[in-house]
Amino acid sequence: MGPALCLVSAACFTIMATCIKFLALRDYSESQMLFFRTAAGVILLAPAMIGGGRSVWETKRPWAMARRCIGSAIGVMLAFYAFGNMPLATAQSLSFARSLFVVLLAMLLLHETVGPWRRAAVAIGFLGVLVMLRPTDLRLDAPALASLASAMLLAYTIVTVKDLSRDHSTLSLVVYMNAATTLVALPFAFFGWRNPTLPDAAIFALLAVSGVFAQTCFTRGLTAGEASLMALMDYVRLPLAALAGLIVFGEVLDIWIIAGATIVFA
């Protein structure tokens, strides 16, 4: 069940990233997009929050939850900036650095046993990412650095979610993340604010819905399976992003993208 949920999450995340890129090209700020995404997430989760009552907000480890929420909020803000200012496949490629951090942190913090086959799978998958990325062509500009910093923060968040899922429900974890990120994004959202047109409002809505589904499925997947295994399934986002970039934005798939995607699928 865990790997299947992570595959659904990968598809939803690709839809969200495509929306971010589209809106960025229409000169909407990343902070405004993030605010819409998380605020709409809170609204979509409101019925479940009401039904769950006070138990949704109860936490036995408030400091662990706070660290997770702050790290996630900053990491997601940096990711939005990267996706808005880089080709989708390149931004996704850099984001997969978090898979290496996840496996390392899963061993150190969760004491998971990561055998040689799984370590090899992570290494080979990341090799595919490097082939697609072509490191000699990459400039470590602001979007690239933001993507790498986001990868480090989100890796810590993923491992923390796996730890918190032992005594917190999926609903609580998703609600806390959306509420915290909304509060963090709110002060920045009004810088460069633009009232969206009706078609753009529909894209904002799709961004919000796909983001909630991506987060919920990934959180459930982490709960159902080992964090280091979920990191492997996460690689599927890369070929999906390359395909979306080709179809929506005309970002041509060259031989390196195709070769790297083949390695990732394998």
Side-chain angles (χ1 to χ4, degrees), residues 13 15 28 36 40 50 55 61-63 77 83 95 116 123-124 150 163 182-183 190 207 214 233 260:
F13 190 92
I15 295 172
Y28 291 97
F36 267 90
I50 295 172
S55 62
R61 292 180 284 163
W63 288 114
M77 288 183 70
F83 278 107
S95 76
I124 293 171
S150 172
D163 179 42
T182 300
L183 293 175
F190 296 102
L207 183 155
M233 304 306 301

Short mmCIF file of all heavy atoms in Angstrom, two decimals, residues 13 15 28 36 40 50 55 61-63 77 83 95 116 123-124 150 163 182-183 190 207 214 233 260:
data_model
loop_
_atom_site.label_atom_id
_atom_site.label_comp_id
_atom_site.label_asym_id
_atom_site.label_seq_id
_atom_site.Cartn_x
_atom_site.Cartn_y
_atom_site.Cartn_z
N PHE A 13 1.90 15.56 -7.22
CA PHE A 13 2.95 16.56 -7.06
C PHE A 13 3.36 17.14 -8.41
O PHE A 13 3.65 18.33 -8.51
CB PHE A 13 4.16 15.93 -6.37
CG PHE A 13 5.20 16.93 -5.93
CD1 PHE A 13 5.16 17.48 -4.66
CD2 PHE A 13 6.20 17.34 -6.78
CE1 PHE A 13 6.10 18.41 -4.26
CE2 PHE A 13 7.14 18.28 -6.40
CZ PHE A 13 7.09 18.82 -5.12
N ILE A 15 1.41 17.51 -11.01
CA ILE A 15 0.35 18.46 -11.37
C ILE A 15 0.56 19.79 -10.65
O ILE A 15 0.46 20.87 -11.24
CB ILE A 15 -1.03 17.87 -11.05
CG1 ILE A 15 -1.31 16.65 -11.92
CG2 ILE A 15 -2.14 18.92 -11.25
CD1 ILE A 15 -2.56 15.89 -11.54
N TYR A 28 2.85 35.66 -11.20
CA TYR A 28 2.37 35.55 -9.82
C TYR A 28 3.56 35.15 -8.94
O TYR A 28 4.39 34.33 -9.32
CB TYR A 28 1.27 34.50 -9.71
CG TYR A 28 -0.02 34.90 -10.37
CD1 TYR A 28 -0.33 34.45 -11.66
CD2 TYR A 28 -0.94 35.72 -9.73
CE1 TYR A 28 -1.52 34.82 -12.28
CE2 TYR A 28 -2.13 36.09 -10.35
CZ TYR A 28 -2.41 35.64 -11.62
OH TYR A 28 -3.58 36.01 -12.24
N PHE A 36 -2.04 30.53 -1.25
CA PHE A 36 -3.26 29.94 -1.81
C PHE A 36 -3.27 28.43 -1.60
O PHE A 36 -4.30 27.85 -1.26
CB PHE A 36 -3.39 30.27 -3.30
CG PHE A 36 -4.19 31.50 -3.58
CD1 PHE A 36 -3.59 32.75 -3.64
CD2 PHE A 36 -5.56 31.43 -3.77
CE1 PHE A 36 -4.32 33.90 -3.91
CE2 PHE A 36 -6.31 32.57 -4.03
CZ PHE A 36 -5.69 33.80 -4.10
N ALA A 40 -6.03 27.11 1.00
CA ALA A 40 -7.07 26.27 0.41
C ALA A 40 -7.02 24.87 1.00
O ALA A 40 -8.06 24.21 1.17
CB ALA A 40 -6.90 26.22 -1.11
N ILE A 50 -13.24 19.37 11.69
CA ILE A 50 -14.42 19.50 12.56
C ILE A 50 -14.85 18.14 13.07
O ILE A 50 -15.17 17.96 14.25
CB ILE A 50 -15.56 20.20 11.80
CG1 ILE A 50 -15.16 21.65 11.47
CG2 ILE A 50 -16.84 20.19 12.62
CD1 ILE A 50 -16.14 22.35 10.54
N SER A 55 -9.00 16.20 19.04
CA SER A 55 -7.95 15.19 18.88
C SER A 55 -7.03 15.50 17.70
O SER A 55 -5.87 15.09 17.68
CB SER A 55 -8.58 13.81 18.69
OG SER A 55 -9.38 13.77 17.52
N ARG A 61 4.20 15.49 21.46
CA ARG A 61 5.56 16.00 21.28
C ARG A 61 5.51 17.32 20.52
O ARG A 61 5.81 17.38 19.32
CB ARG A 61 6.40 14.96 20.52
CG ARG A 61 6.67 13.69 21.34
CD ARG A 61 7.49 12.70 20.56
NE ARG A 61 6.71 12.01 19.54
CZ ARG A 61 7.24 11.33 18.53
NH1 ARG A 61 8.54 11.30 18.38
NH2 ARG A 61 6.47 10.71 17.66
N PRO A 62 5.14 18.39 21.22
CA PRO A 62 4.96 19.68 20.53
C PRO A 62 6.23 20.21 19.89
O PRO A 62 6.17 20.83 18.82
CB PRO A 62 4.46 20.61 21.65
CG PRO A 62 4.86 19.95 22.93
CD PRO A 62 4.82 18.48 22.67
N TRP A 63 7.39 20.01 20.53
CA TRP A 63 8.62 20.56 19.95
C TRP A 63 9.00 19.80 18.68
O TRP A 63 9.48 20.42 17.71
CB TRP A 63 9.75 20.50 20.97
CG TRP A 63 9.58 21.50 22.08
CD1 TRP A 63 9.35 21.23 23.40
CD2 TRP A 63 9.60 22.93 21.96
NE1 TRP A 63 9.22 22.41 24.11
CE2 TRP A 63 9.38 23.46 23.25
CE3 TRP A 63 9.78 23.80 20.89
CZ2 TRP A 63 9.34 24.83 23.50
CZ3 TRP A 63 9.74 25.16 21.13
CH2 TRP A 63 9.52 25.66 22.42
N MET A 77 8.52 26.62 0.72
CA MET A 77 8.67 27.95 0.13
C MET A 77 9.85 27.99 -0.83
O MET A 77 9.76 28.54 -1.94
CB MET A 77 8.84 29.01 1.23
CG MET A 77 7.59 29.29 2.03
SD MET A 77 7.81 30.60 3.26
CE MET A 77 7.95 32.04 2.18
N PHE A 83 10.80 25.80 -8.46
CA PHE A 83 9.94 25.33 -9.54
C PHE A 83 9.45 26.48 -10.41
O PHE A 83 9.21 26.29 -11.61
CB PHE A 83 8.75 24.55 -8.98
CG PHE A 83 9.06 23.13 -8.65
CD1 PHE A 83 9.17 22.71 -7.33
CD2 PHE A 83 9.27 22.20 -9.65
CE1 PHE A 83 9.47 21.40 -7.02
CE2 PHE A 83 9.57 20.88 -9.36
CZ PHE A 83 9.68 20.48 -8.04
N SER A 95 15.74 18.32 -6.61
CA SER A 95 14.96 17.99 -5.41
C SER A 95 15.23 16.57 -4.94
O SER A 95 15.02 16.25 -3.77
CB SER A 95 13.46 18.17 -5.69
OG SER A 95 12.93 17.11 -6.47
N PRO A 116 22.18 -3.60 1.48
CA PRO A 116 22.98 -3.22 0.30
C PRO A 116 22.16 -3.05 -0.97
O PRO A 116 22.48 -2.19 -1.80
CB PRO A 116 23.97 -4.38 0.17
CG PRO A 116 23.36 -5.52 0.93
CD PRO A 116 22.59 -4.90 2.04
N ALA A 123 21.52 4.72 -4.98
CA ALA A 123 22.67 5.25 -5.72
C ALA A 123 22.42 5.23 -7.22
O ALA A 123 22.72 6.19 -7.93
CB ALA A 123 23.92 4.43 -5.37
N ILE A 124 21.84 4.12 -7.72
CA ILE A 124 21.58 4.02 -9.16
C ILE A 124 20.51 5.02 -9.58
O ILE A 124 20.61 5.66 -10.64
CB ILE A 124 21.17 2.57 -9.52
CG1 ILE A 124 22.36 1.64 -9.31
CG2 ILE A 124 20.69 2.50 -10.97
CD1 ILE A 124 22.01 0.17 -9.44
N SER A 150 16.05 23.31 -0.02
CA SER A 150 14.73 22.72 0.17
C SER A 150 14.85 21.21 0.33
O SER A 150 14.17 20.61 1.18
CB SER A 150 13.83 23.04 -1.03
OG SER A 150 12.61 22.32 -0.96
N ASP A 163 8.55 9.43 12.06
CA ASP A 163 8.65 9.29 13.51
C ASP A 163 7.34 9.72 14.19
O ASP A 163 6.81 9.01 15.05
CB ASP A 163 9.82 10.14 14.02
CG ASP A 163 9.97 10.06 15.52
OD1 ASP A 163 9.84 8.96 16.08
OD2 ASP A 163 10.19 11.11 16.16
N THR A 182 0.65 28.12 6.14
CA THR A 182 -0.21 29.26 5.85
C THR A 182 0.21 30.47 6.68
O THR A 182 0.31 31.60 6.16
CB THR A 182 -1.68 28.93 6.13
OG1 THR A 182 -2.08 27.83 5.31
CG2 THR A 182 -2.59 30.12 5.83
N LEU A 183 0.49 30.25 7.95
CA LEU A 183 0.91 31.35 8.82
C LEU A 183 2.27 31.91 8.41
O LEU A 183 2.50 33.12 8.45
CB LEU A 183 0.95 30.86 10.28
CG LEU A 183 -0.40 30.52 10.90
CD1 LEU A 183 -0.20 29.94 12.31
CD2 LEU A 183 -1.30 31.74 10.96
N PHE A 190 1.62 39.18 0.48
CA PHE A 190 1.12 40.47 0.02
C PHE A 190 2.16 41.29 -0.72
O PHE A 190 1.87 42.35 -1.24
CB PHE A 190 0.55 41.25 1.22
CG PHE A 190 -0.65 40.58 1.83
CD1 PHE A 190 -0.53 39.85 3.00
CD2 PHE A 190 -1.89 40.65 1.20
CE1 PHE A 190 -1.62 39.22 3.56
CE2 PHE A 190 -2.99 40.01 1.75
CZ PHE A 190 -2.87 39.30 2.93
N LEU A 207 -3.90 23.76 -8.21
CA LEU A 207 -2.66 23.70 -7.43
C LEU A 207 -2.95 23.27 -5.99
O LEU A 207 -2.27 22.41 -5.43
CB LEU A 207 -1.96 25.06 -7.46
CG LEU A 207 -0.61 25.23 -6.77
CD1 LEU A 207 0.15 26.38 -7.42
CD2 LEU A 207 -0.73 25.50 -5.28
N ALA A 214 -1.33 15.25 -2.85
CA ALA A 214 0.06 14.81 -2.87
C ALA A 214 0.60 14.63 -1.46
O ALA A 214 1.22 13.62 -1.13
CB ALA A 214 0.92 15.81 -3.64
N MET A 233 10.60 5.20 -4.22
CA MET A 233 9.40 5.40 -5.03
C MET A 233 9.28 6.85 -5.49
O MET A 233 8.70 7.14 -6.52
CB MET A 233 8.16 5.00 -4.23
CG MET A 233 8.17 3.57 -3.70
SD MET A 233 8.46 2.34 -4.98
CE MET A 233 7.09 2.66 -6.08
N GLY A 260 18.48 9.18 -18.66
CA GLY A 260 18.33 9.26 -17.21
C GLY A 260 17.01 8.70 -16.74
O GLY A 260 16.93 8.00 -15.73
#
